[in-house]
Amino acid sequence: MPAATLRTWAIGRAYPVTDGKGRFQPLIRPASGRPPLLSFWNLIEAHVLRALRTEQGVALRAVRQAITYSEKELDLDRLLLSPRLRSRAGELFLERYGELINLSRSGQIAMRQVLEAHLVRIEWDGHQFPIRLHPFLSREIPDPSMPVVIDPAVQFGRPIVTRHGISTAAIVGRIDAGERPEDIAADYGMTAHDVAQAVLYERAA
């Protein structure tokens, strides 16, 4: 995700209009305002928002109206962060999108499936708070094994190889230093596939 896009979603931006300047209001509330700092929860919100924008081409205006509707009518704060996006709130949210962007009923169903594909990569605790994110490594070939995880309780939230706890950056650092992938895999007790997926994630980041 381009840094400029994430910045716009989190803190907004000014843009020129005929009578001066307009302002795009943020869709994500940063954990800290001054300076603006993003939390792990903000990362989850950006993950879901990216799914709506890049996979389905949903207009940001439609996203904003759906968030506002859920807050005012459903008393649901931070819709992009809620696992209920797939159930009660999710159906209403998607139906609301259908009205705003004029989707057919089959289009609404397809949109829900795409959103669920992203939400299944989020792990929730018993209080329905997100605790881990398994990012997509490739838009073309999603890996169902989810070999990379971002966990704020491990390695200070750095992306790591699932089940091994080794940061993807450390693996790529050794690759860039000239070490062979098979030697790195043997050192960490992981498979060559794990090493390849770590490299894929870092190159795409």
Side-chain angles (χ1 to χ4, degrees), residues 12 15 33 37 45 48 57 72 76 103 106 113 121-122 128 146 148-149 154 168 176 182 185 189 198 204-205:
Y15 57 87
L37 299 175
E45 291 174 309
V48 174
K72 291 183 176 180
L76 181 60
L103 290 174
S106 60
Q113 291 171 341
R121 291 179 168 268
I122 303 170
Q128 298 298 292
M146 297 187 285
V148 173
V149 63
V154 179
T168 55
D176 290 344
E182 54 268 34

Side-chain angles (χ1 to χ4, degrees), residues 169-181:
I171 292 173
V172 171
R174 293 182 62 174
I175 293 286
D176 290 344
E179 296 189 54
R180 299 189 307 168

